[in-house]
């Protein structure tokens, strides 16, 4: 079957991943999630967050905790990709016109790929759908 089934009637996947309004701005702003180096960078296939492979193993993806990456290198390799283009640093999501244009203005501050190539395995697509998150891969 198709690995990328669309959840009917739901918002786009980036909107599904939105932080609560209290998470944006306010006294306790979230620290940006930035890669810990320039080698072995990977981007989450769902949120496009860029980190090192080891950061994904250590922390998972803060935007998509439904993907069980923390402590699971094999899952990290399945749910992230090295095949991505561009990078945008999103430091103040609520005020960023680039973030809004890219559909990432409601995610954690951090570095994001502009496009990612790869398809999330069916088991993870189903897990996201069960959590009400619509996964739509980038179109080439």
């Amino acid at each position: 079957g198709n690995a990328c089934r669309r959840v009917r009637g739901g918002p786009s996947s980036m909107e599904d991943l939105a932080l609560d309004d209290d998470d944006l701005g306010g006294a306790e702003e979230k620290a940006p999630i930035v890669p810990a180096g320039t080698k072995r960078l990977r981007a989450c296939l769902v949120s496009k967050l860029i980190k090192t492979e080891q950061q994904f193993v250590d922390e998972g993806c803060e935007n998509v905790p439904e993907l069980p990456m923390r402590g699971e290198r094999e899952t990290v390799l399945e749910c992230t990709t090295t095949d991505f283009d561009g990078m945008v640093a999103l430091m103040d999501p609520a005020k960023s016109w680039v973030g809004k244009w890219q559909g990432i203005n409601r995610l954690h501050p951090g570095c994001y790929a502009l496009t990612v190539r790869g398809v999330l395995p069916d088991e993870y697509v189903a897990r996201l759908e069960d959590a009400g998150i619509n996964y739509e891969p980038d179109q080439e």
Side-chain angles (χ1 to χ4, degrees):
N2 184 357
C4 309
R5 297 179 301 276
R6 180 167 172 77
V7 176
R8 298 205 187 339
S12 73
S13 61
M14 290 302 177
E15 289 172 356
D16 292 340
L17 298 176
L19 297 172
D20 293 332
D21 286 333
D22 340 340
D23 290 339
L24 299 174
E28 295 183 32
E29 292 187 19
K30 299 247 184 244
I33 302 160
V34 295
T38 57
K39 296 199 185 318
R40 299 179 68 104
L41 290 180
R42 300 189 70 84
C44 175
L45 286 169
V46 179
S47 74
K48 301 181 187 178
L49 180 66
I50 297 172
K51 300 197 294 187
T52 64
E53 180 180 317
Q54 192 58 49
Q55 282 177 293
F56 277 113
V57 172
D58 293 343
E59 304 154 4
C61 179
E62 290 81 352
N63 294 309
V64 197
E66 296 81 5
L67 295 177
M69 290 193 251
R70 186 174 291 181
E72 299 292 336
R73 189 169 305 276
E74 190 63 38
T75 304
V76 167
L77 297 178
E78 292 175 330
C79 296
T80 64
T81 181
T82 58
D83 193 2
F84 62 88
D85 289 323
M87 182 186 296
V88 62
L90 180 70
M91 297 299 123
D92 191 347
K95 295 179 182 170
S96 172
W97 70 266
V98 172
K100 186 171 186 174
W101 171 61
Q102 286 294 311
I104 59 175
N105 60 316
R106 306 220 359 113
L107 302 182
H108 280 271
C111 294
Y112 289 86
L114 296 177
T115 59
V116 294
R117 281 178 290 287
V119 177
L120 197 63
D122 286 341
E123 66 181 286
Y124 301 115
V125 172
R127 187 182 285 246
L128 292 177
E129 287 176 352
D130 289 346
I133 298 169
N134 180 34
Y135 165 67
E136 293 183 28
D138 281 355
Q139 302 298 321
E140 281 298 307

